[in-house]
Amino acid sequence: MSLLKIDQVSHVYKRRFRPAQTVLHDVSLTLEAGRCLGLLGSSGAGKSTLGRLLLGLERPSSGTIWFNGVDRHATKRPFQGDVQVVFQDSFAAVNPKLTAADIIAEPLDNFIRLKGEARQQRLVTLIEQVGLKATDLTKYPAQFSGGQLQRIAIARAIAAEPRLIVLDEAVSSLDMVNKRLILALLADLKRLHGLTYVFITHDIKAAEQLCDSFAILEQGRLVGHYPSLAAFDAATDPAVERMRQAKLAVHPRQRMIRKTQANKG
Ligand SMILES: Nc1ncnc2c1ncn2[C@@H]1O[C@H](COP(=O)(O)OP(=O)(O)OP(=O)(O)O)[C@@H](O)[C@H]1O
């Protein structure tokens, strides 16, 4: 049985004073445990919407998301520790008033509930697993670089021993060196913990480094699904060609950040 089965999922956003917008159309995908699915597509293709459905933050308008054989949205609390997320902007994703220990401990306290020395030991193990030091646990977000804070976000994501992690543009804001390091870290953690990833990205090169299978969304439709890197590399269909052509384009959010920084400077 597949760990994840997305079965004919469609999603519609209702909008005020404008017609409703269907952003996912009949998407079906499967993912085996211990594998990484690259979910590729240009801006607005519906990637993050699908990620939010997997996390249980939204309910699909139609279709079913089966997780470990269970309809994810049929339960009362679809958002459980077994699916976690790492977002692109780690500074926005954490509370600046919390220490690294508080941030990493959040899912631990919610889902595992360790106490005293066992809890502290687990925090030390987690921060060391992402390549930081035990002494970093008492630091605040502002004291970390973007790459270091992304490591904290990854430690938080693995803290509750999830089965699946949604990585939503998780390396897109990082410089080339940090991107390579974080991709290597994610690959190591996947091997070590038998993790399963959905890697949402517009960056074909990053996806090729981490993923075992590849899906391309265009305007909410699945236009390509490749079960291996070899199949993806060999693909010549127009959807893959369009992704390859777009691979050097800067992500719109990055463009906005750069523009703001340029205006400030
Ligand atoms: N909460 C929302 N309410 C209404 N429309 C939304 C909402 N979230 C996303 N959308 C719309 O749904 C479409 C798909 O957005 P989504 O963020 O899923 O795409 P994406 O592929 O992740 O894009 P990006 O790479 O830019 O993040 C877009 O047209 C977007 O404007």
Side-chain angles (χ1 to χ4, degrees):
M1 182 179 56
S2 304
L3 179 68
L4 179 68
K5 185 163 186 255
I6 299 167
D7 192 7
Q8 293 193 297
V9 163
S10 295
H11 197 62
V12 180
Y13 284 119
K14 297 196 176 90
R15 302 182 297 179
R16 274 181 147 208
F17 313 118
R18 281 188 295 165
Q21 183 189 9
T22 304
V23 296
L24 290 173
H25 302 261
D26 268 336
V27 174
S28 293
L29 283 167
T30 54
L31 180 58
E32 305 303 318
R35 310 262 298 168
C36 174
L37 169 71
L39 194 55
L40 291 140
S42 57
S43 188
K47 307 180 297 294
S48 295
T49 299
L50 188 53
R52 284 199 294 276
L53 298 178
L54 299 180
L55 286 160
L57 298 175
E58 294 192 42
R59 179 179 289 270
S61 305
S62 65
T64 312
I65 292 173
W66 300 97
F67 186 72
N68 217 12
V70 176
D71 177 350
R72 187 131 189 88
H73 295 85
T75 56
K76 277 199 179 140
R77 294 177 59 214
F79 185 67
Q80 296 290 339
D82 53 9
V83 183
Q84 292 288 320
V85 64
V86 179
F87 290 111
Q88 173 179 18
D89 185 354
S90 42
F91 282 103
V94 297
N95 181 339
K97 292 184 179 148
L98 297 182
T99 62
D102 297 330
I103 293 165
I104 299 170
E106 201 188 317
L108 262 189
D109 296 342
N110 281 338
F111 302 113
I112 299 198
R113 299 198 177 102
L114 291 175
K115 295 267 176 263
E117 187 52 33
R119 181 178 178 276
Q120 182 59 24
Q121 194 47 54
R122 178 93 180 110
L123 289 175
V124 170
T125 304
L126 284 163
I127 202 152
E128 287 179 351
Q129 276 186 355
V130 297
L132 298 175
K133 297 195 197 85
T135 48
D136 290 325
L137 282 169
T138 53
K139 292 185 184 165
Y140 290 88
Q143 296 173 277
F144 292 108
S145 68
Q148 288 171 328
L149 201 57
Q150 205 57 331
R151 288 172 188 268
I152 303 278
I154 293 168
R156 174 173 65 179
I158 62 172
E161 297 171 8
R163 304 285 308 274
L164 175 71
I165 300 182
V166 176
L167 301 163
D168 190 351
E169 301 282 6
V171 297
S172 301
S173 297
L174 303 175
D175 59 64
M176 285 307 288
V177 174
N178 266 310
K179 187 182 285 194
R180 233 190 356 257
L181 292 171
I182 296 285
L183 285 169
L185 171 68
L186 289 167
D188 284 349
L189 292 171
K190 175 169 166 281
R191 263 193 306 275
L192 190 68
H193 298 284
L195 288 166
T196 310
Y197 295 147
V198 173
F199 184 67
I200 295 174
T201 189
H202 67 288
D203 181 342
I204 197 167
K205 264 178 118 178
E208 283 173 340
Q209 278 177 56
L210 187 65
C211 301
D212 312 293
S213 64
F214 303 82
I216 300 182
L217 280 181
E218 275 183 4
Q219 294 175 6
R221 293 180 202 278
L222 186 67
V223 292
H225 187 202
Y226 309 90
S228 67
L229 180 58
F232 185 58
D233 279 348
T236 54
D237 52 286
V240 179
E241 280 307 323
R242 279 192 290 275
M243 280 307 305
R244 287 190 186 123
Q245 302 292 328
K247 76 177 172 187
L248 293 177
V250 179
H251 188 271
R253 268 180 253 157
Q254 265 310 97
R255 271 206 298 272
M256 218 154 71
I257 293 165
R258 285 183 195 178
K259 217 165 135 187
T260 315
Q261 282 168 347
N263 288 342
K264 274 188 197 158

